[in-house]
């Protein structure tokens, strides 16, 4: 009988084929995480090319055409290649262990959904070497810039987006089925860790909006090659329609990139504050409200296209409403830390920095939601500062926090705390030097997506570029720390962290190749 | 044995959930395309983007409001890649709501090839767009312009009696697009 076979005893296959054919959620999680790190560095190199060009006014390093390709590819790679796969990687590693499941619900599909990604990004990156260059119309690829005036490689970009979409949808289906059907007996939804909750909601968002993205690029494809006129006014279409459909996808997309981060931070802060999470239930409801609101605020990205005043007011107020559930979350994290016995290991440092810096990004978002103010801020560096504050010290810091937090569980070794803290402080200082001055240059009127700028912005840009190089090169230290931890180090205990709650901490470190072949029985401590 | 059975139950449950989710994804893909006609309907109803409706047909001649004057201004633009000379023959008209007016637009093809042109209208202020009715407009069809050909193109319109009181001036703008096959090819 198959069931008699002691599953725990056999480990992974040997050699390279292990990674190609693996259906193990831990292997696939690792693949996703390494892939996203590779993309993070690729997109980071592009960011540094951008910042080098902007170090001084005038054109020094790249021509405007290449500059536009760099901003476009940087955005696409960071959003779809770095942040999203990093969270899917964390989901693969952690969700089965957190809900007491033996693996993901559909392991073979899990393998496919990962292995589509290298091909999708191979296709996208290959456009850099094509005649006419890579896509150069910004990551938002507004029509008719992308349809009538885009380079020939736009078609490859479209197929790349299709493939990423298929990968995300498959990954999301897998995650939802795992969470809904494979929880250990007795684990009710309200006993799940918040990381599982936020991912459940994120996966629903993905299933709802990735097909809309696929739809909008399909319309582009038809406009380019089949003489349709979805977005061409001359043929009876409307370019503004593109922006509506794009942002109907795009706004939930930005929450897709932040909700799992909320889950990570909600796991880490209680551990190092040595208290249970304050307001667990309100966290669940706040996450759901944010997800719902994300569908009805999209036009705040396009206040300046010309929307009737009633529409502008509606989208303004609806957008401001999002600050309420987000505020609930921030207050809950602060209340969790309140009077806790806090220690400041690297994951906690990243988590606290997340709370502080994400809140700054949230506040500049509130400023942008005010219609008359947005007329001034639209398409300036203020917007660049805003979304980098929510994405870099927001999403990216949470991924780094998660890696430090769970790395001992994954590898069985403790990372080097002194090096980890060094990495944190270099990143924290680097990120603020990079993006804080961009608020000022934006308020002073510097437009985004330009390779050259007026002289009065020179100082802020030079500071910003210095910070970018500090932040960028600090990530090599991150890579070094991870490799060092994988190769050895102080042995981690089962629980790893004194105040950690959750089923994954009941497993040995490193977590065995197969876990929870029999479901866990004690679920009282399942969430932090 | 118990475990094997449990696994099988799980498999069917999983497939059921997965198929349902996949159905949602397919639905949302279709929904993306559904947004296109929905958007057109919304624009027609509310006049978003200053879009005007198609040809206006009224059952009976509307009453002319002799006490009210509305100024209608005309603007023309050429879209990128359109070489034609295109201008209104009158910059503005003062009209009564309810009366049928005629305006003319001049177009000439100065280049040595045939151009296919399509004019796209837009009305400002947006909320007045649905009160400007066109009974006849060159924008309802494409124009073939041979080399050197010049045309006076008519527009017949009625300003609706229900036009909001705060609107005293309407601006009707036409953008002329070059929709000839070779022009589209050049743009790409």
């Amino acid at each position: 009988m198959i069931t008699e076979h002691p599953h725990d005893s056999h480990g992974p296959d040997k050699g390279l084929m292990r990674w190609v054919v693996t259906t193990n959620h831990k292997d696939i999680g690792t693949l996703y995480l390494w892939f996203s790190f590779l993309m993070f560095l690729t997109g980071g190199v592009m960011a540094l090319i951008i910042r080098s060009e902007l170090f001084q006014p005038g054109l020094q390093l790249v021509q405007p055409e290449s500059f536009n390709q760099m901003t476009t590819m940087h955005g696409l790679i960071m959003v779809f290649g770095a942040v999203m796969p990093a969270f899917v990687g964390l989901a693969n590693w952690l969700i089965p262990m957190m809900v007491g499941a033996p693996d993901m619900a559909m392991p073979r599909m899990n393998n496919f959904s990962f292995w589509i990604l290298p091909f999708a990004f191979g296709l996208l990156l290959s456009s850099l070497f094509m005649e006419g260059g890579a896509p150069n119309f910004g990551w938002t690829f507004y029509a008719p810039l992308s349809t009538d005036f885009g380079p020939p490689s736009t078609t490859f970009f479209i197929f790349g987006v299709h493939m990423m979409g298929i990968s995300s949808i498959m990954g999301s289906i897998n995650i939802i089925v795992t969470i809904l059907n494979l929880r250990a007996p007795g684990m009710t939804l309200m006993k799940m860790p918040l990381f599982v909750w936020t991912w459940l909601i994120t996966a629903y968002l993905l299933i709802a909006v990735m097909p809309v993205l696929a739809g909008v690029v399909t319309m582009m494809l038809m406009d380019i090659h089949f003489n349709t006129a979805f977005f061409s006014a001359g043929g009876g279409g409307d370019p503004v329609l593109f922006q509506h459909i794009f942002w109907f996808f795009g706004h939930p997309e930005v929450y897709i990139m932040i909700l799992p981060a909320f889950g990570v931070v909600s796991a880490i802060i209680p551990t190092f504050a040595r208290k249970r999470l304050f307001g667990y239930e309100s966290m669940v409801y706040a996450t759901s409200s944010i997800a719902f609101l994300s569908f009805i605020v999209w036009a705040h990205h396009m206040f300046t296209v010309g929307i009737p005043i009633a529409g502008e007011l509606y989208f303004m107020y609806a957008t401001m409403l999002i600050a309420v559930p987000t505020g609930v979350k921030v207050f809950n994290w602060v209340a969790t830390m309140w009077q806790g016995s806090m220690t400041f290991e690297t994951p906690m440092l990243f988590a606290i920095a997340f709370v502080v810096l994400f809140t700054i990004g949230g506040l500049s978002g509130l400023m942008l939601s005010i219609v008359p103010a947005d007329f001034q801020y639209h398409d300036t560096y203020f917007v660049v500062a805003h979304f980098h504050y929510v994405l870099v010290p927001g999403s990216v810091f949470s991924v780094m926090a998660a890696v430090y937090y769970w790395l001992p569980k994954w590898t069985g070794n403790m990372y080097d705390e002194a090096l980890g803290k060094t990495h944190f402080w270099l990143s924290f200082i680097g990120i603020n030097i990079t993006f804080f001055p961009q608020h000022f240059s934006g308020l002073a009127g510097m437009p985004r997506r330009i390779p050259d700028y007026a002289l009065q912005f020179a100082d802020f840009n030079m500071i910003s570029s210095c910070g970018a190089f500090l932040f960028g090169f600090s990530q090599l230290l991150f890579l070094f720390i991870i490799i060092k931890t994988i190769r050895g180090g102080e042995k981690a205990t089962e629980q790893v962290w004194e105040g950690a709650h959750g089923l994954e901490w009941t497993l040995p470190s490193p977590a065995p190749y197969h876990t929870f072949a029999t479901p866990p029985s004690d679920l009282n401590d399942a969430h932090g | 044995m118990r475990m094997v059975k449990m696994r099988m139950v799980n498999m069917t449950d999983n497939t059921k959930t997965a198929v349902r989710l996949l159905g949602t994804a397919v639905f949302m893909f279709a929904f993306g395309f559904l947004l296109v006609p929905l958007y057109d309907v919304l624009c027609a109803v509310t006049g978003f983007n200053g879009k005007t409706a198609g040809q206006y047909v009224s059952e009976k001649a509307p009453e002319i409001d002799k006490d009210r004057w509305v100024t209608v201004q005309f603007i023309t633009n050429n879209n990128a890649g359109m070489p034609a000379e295109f201008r209104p023959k009158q910059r503005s008209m003062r009209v009564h709501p309810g009366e049928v007016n005629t305006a003319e637009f001049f177009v000439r093809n100065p280049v040595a090839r045939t151009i296919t042109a399509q004019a796209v209208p837009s009305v400002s202020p947006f909320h007045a767009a649905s009160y400007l009715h066109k009974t006849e407009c060159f924008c309802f069809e494409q124009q073939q312009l041979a080399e050197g050909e010049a045309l006076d193109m008519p527009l017949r319109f009625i300003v609706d009696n229900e036009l909001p009181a705060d609107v005293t001036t309407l601006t009707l703008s036409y953008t002329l697009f070059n929709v000839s096959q070779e022009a589209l090819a050049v743009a790409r």
Side-chain angles (χ1 to χ4, degrees):
Chain A
M1 291 297 294
I2 293 164
T3 42
E4 301 303 314
H5 186 78
H7 239 73
D8 282 348
S9 62
H10 76 77
D13 297 343
K14 298 275 175 277
L16 210 61
M17 281 310 279
R18 161 188 175 183
W19 300 103
V20 178
V21 300
T22 184
T23 54
N24 179 285
H25 73 101
K26 299 184 181 78
D27 280 355
I28 293 170
T30 306
L31 284 170
Y32 264 111
L33 287 168
W34 277 115
F35 177 78
S36 81
F37 193 72
L38 183 69
M39 287 296 116
F40 182 58
L41 295 184
T42 311
V45 168
M46 291 169 180
L48 293 185
I49 293 172
I50 293 168
R51 282 313 328 165
S52 306
E53 178 54 52
L54 295 175
F55 186 72
Q56 283 185 336
L59 293 177
Q60 282 78 232
L61 199 68
V62 290
Q63 290 306 302
E65 296 76 26
S66 328
F67 185 89
N68 289 344
Q69 293 174 29
M70 286 298 108
T71 51
T72 306
M73 295 297 267
H74 165 75
L76 289 169
I77 286 174
M78 287 305 200
V79 168
F80 295 105
V83 174
M84 287 169 64
F87 283 128
V88 181
L90 291 174
N92 264 293
W93 249 105
L94 298 170
I95 288 175
M97 296 202 297
M98 285 177 163
V99 301
D103 204 308
M104 295 297 278
M106 283 162 282
R108 181 68 64 192
M109 189 164 90
N110 206 10
N111 173 293
F112 289 153
S113 64
F114 171 76
W115 278 109
I116 289 174
L117 279 184
F119 294 97
F121 283 91
L123 198 62
L124 187 64
L125 285 167
S126 70
S127 66
L128 281 168
F129 307 102
M130 288 177 190
E131 205 180 317
N136 56 3
F137 30 67
W139 87 277
T140 51
F141 52 98
Y142 278 8
L145 189 58
S146 56
T147 48
D148 285 351
F149 305 102
S153 63
T154 306
T155 307
F156 291 90
F157 151 82
I158 290 171
F159 289 139
V161 170
H162 276 141
M163 286 162 75
M164 291 165 208
I166 291 169
S167 162
S168 292
I169 291 167
M170 280 166 43
S172 307
I173 290 178
N174 216 340
I175 286 168
I176 296 177
V177 177
T178 307
I179 296 173
L180 292 186
N181 293 0
L182 292 194
R183 274 169 295 141
M187 176 172 281
T188 58
L189 288 174
M190 288 315 252
K191 277 186 182 168
M192 298 194 308
L194 262 173
F195 180 74
V196 180
W197 254 117
T198 53
W199 241 116
L200 179 65
I201 292 164
T202 304
Y204 273 112
L205 287 183
L206 277 165
I207 287 179
V209 300
M210 287 311 277
V212 176
L213 175 70
V216 76
V217 293
T218 307
M219 291 177 208
M220 275 175 66
L221 187 76
M222 301 206 287
D223 270 9
I224 293 172
H225 293 291
F226 306 120
N227 284 325
T228 57
F230 284 102
F231 308 128
S232 138
D238 189 336
V240 177
L241 171 66
F242 175 90
Q243 299 186 27
H244 281 290
I245 305 180
F246 178 82
W247 286 114
F248 184 82
F249 146 80
H251 202 75
E253 167 68 17
V254 304
Y255 292 109
I256 286 164
M257 291 189 284
I258 202 66
L259 293 184
F262 291 163
V264 167
V265 171
S266 303
I268 291 173
I269 289 181
T271 297
F272 296 98
R274 291 167 182 77
K275 278 174 66 191
R276 303 308 284 259
L277 182 69
F278 184 88
Y280 170 88
E281 286 178 10
S282 66
M283 285 295 213
V284 173
Y285 298 134
T287 311
S288 318
S289 326
I290 293 173
F292 170 74
L293 288 171
S294 75
F295 283 103
I296 56 167
V297 296
W298 75 90
H300 66 210
H301 294 271
M302 34 192 295
F303 280 149
T304 54
V305 299
I307 298 174
I309 188 81
E312 308 230 83
L313 288 174
Y314 159 73
F315 282 109
M316 173 167 97
Y317 291 132
T319 304
M320 289 175 166
L321 206 57
I322 299 179
V324 177
T326 314
V328 167
K329 287 182 162 290
V330 172
F331 282 114
N332 280 344
W333 291 320
V334 174
T336 306
M337 288 188 268
W338 180 254
Q339 294 192 330
S341 316
M342 293 214 283
T343 50
F344 299 95
E345 286 85 347
T346 311
M348 183 61 160
L349 289 175
F350 273 106
I352 294 173
F354 171 94
V355 175
V356 174
L357 299 181
F358 174 78
T359 304
I360 293 178
L363 285 173
S364 58
L366 264 183
M367 291 170 71
L368 286 164
S369 74
I370 304 166
V371 173
D374 182 77
F375 282 15
Q376 172 75 14
Y377 304 153
H378 185 83
D379 256 345
T380 67
Y381 260 78
F382 190 78
V383 178
V384 176
H386 157 69
F387 69 73
H388 280 94
Y389 257 87
V390 287
L391 277 174
V392 187
S395 307
V396 173
F397 269 25
S398 85
V399 173
M400 289 173 179
V403 168
Y404 282 111
Y405 185 59
W406 281 290
L407 199 57
K409 178 56 64 188
W410 299 339
T411 62
N413 304 319
M414 293 303 286
Y415 60 87
D416 187 322
E417 194 62 64
L419 283 180
K421 283 183 173 162
T422 312
H423 171 230
F424 167 76
W425 285 110
L426 289 174
S427 299
F428 180 84
I429 293 166
I431 213 74
N432 282 296
I433 295 177
T434 311
F435 295 116
F436 211 80
Q438 295 184 0
H439 289 113
F440 304 131
S441 45
L443 289 178
M446 179 168 162
R448 63 190 283 210
R449 292 172 170 158
I450 50 158
D452 187 8
Y453 49 85
L455 290 178
Q456 74 262 32
F457 307 123
D459 292 347
F460 284 139
N461 274 285
M462 192 175 277
I463 297 170
S464 200
S465 293
C466 293
F469 276 87
L470 178 62
F471 178 74
F473 283 96
S474 311
Q475 304 324 310
L476 297 177
L477 178 61
F478 186 39
L479 178 64
F480 172 77
I481 296 168
I482 294 170
I483 293 173
K484 186 166 178 274
T485 312
I486 293 171
R487 293 171 68 97
E490 189 196 325
K491 292 290 159 228
T493 60
E494 262 185 26
Q495 206 194 358
V496 183
W497 310 107
E498 186 191 18
H501 298 277
L503 292 176
E504 74 270 31
W505 307 112
T506 63
L507 296 165
S509 300
Y513 199 57
H514 295 285
T515 45
F516 293 127
T518 48
S521 47
D522 180 16
L523 301 172
N524 291 323
D525 220 16
H527 74 74
Chain B
M1 263 329 277
R2 207 189 70 84
M3 216 175 138
V4 171
K5 202 174 163 199
M6 197 185 80
R7 284 237 143 207
M8 280 176 63
V9 171
N10 275 346
M11 286 319 259
T12 46
D13 280 357
N14 291 351
T15 316
K16 220 185 287 172
T17 316
V19 167
R20 229 174 268 157
L21 292 168
L22 192 69
T24 313
V26 171
F27 171 81
M28 287 308 292
F29 184 74
F31 179 75
F33 282 85
L34 192 66
L35 285 173
V36 179
L38 274 180
Y39 177 76
D40 281 344
V41 170
L42 201 70
C43 287
V45 172
T46 62
F48 276 4
N49 282 347
K51 279 194 182 175
T52 53
Q55 189 157 20
Y56 178 75
V57 191
S58 77
E59 314 275 289
K60 55 179 168 46
E63 213 170 290
I64 299 170
D65 184 355
K66 288 280 183 197
D67 299 331
R68 190 172 171 197
W69 286 101
V70 178
T71 306
V72 182
Q73 301 174 325
F74 302 100
I75 297 177
T76 57
N77 285 296
N78 279 4
N79 196 47
M82 169 47 95
E85 204 181 305
F86 178 43
R87 61 169 188 269
K89 296 189 81 168
Q90 60 292 303
R91 284 289 161 198
S92 76
M93 292 171 79
R94 269 165 58 79
V95 302
H96 293 299
E99 77 185 336
V100 180
N101 311 282
T102 307
E104 283 200 317
F105 290 75
F106 174 80
V107 69
R108 195 178 76 87
N109 175 8
V111 294
R113 59 172 192 278
T114 305
I115 302 174
T116 312
Q118 168 72 57
V120 175
S122 174
V123 171
S124 180
F126 291 171
H127 68 276
S130 45
Y131 299 96
L132 186 76
H133 306 305
K134 289 174 288 186
T135 56
E136 192 186 328
C137 179
F138 55 93
C139 60
F140 294 151
E141 57 210 12
Q142 298 183 344
Q143 276 78 36
Q144 292 274 357
L145 297 169
E147 177 186 353
E149 187 181 347
L151 274 182
D152 283 338
M153 304 185 292
L155 160 72
R156 289 167 71 78
F157 65 93
I158 305 168
V159 176
D160 199 296
N161 279 307
E162 305 292 316
L163 181 74
D166 64 311
V167 182
T168 55
T169 305
L170 283 170
T171 307
L172 174 58
S173 143
Y174 282 103
T175 305
L176 203 62
F177 285 76
N178 189 349
V179 291
S180 325
Q181 281 309 314
E182 68 275 8
L184 295 176
V186 168
R188 307 239 155 90

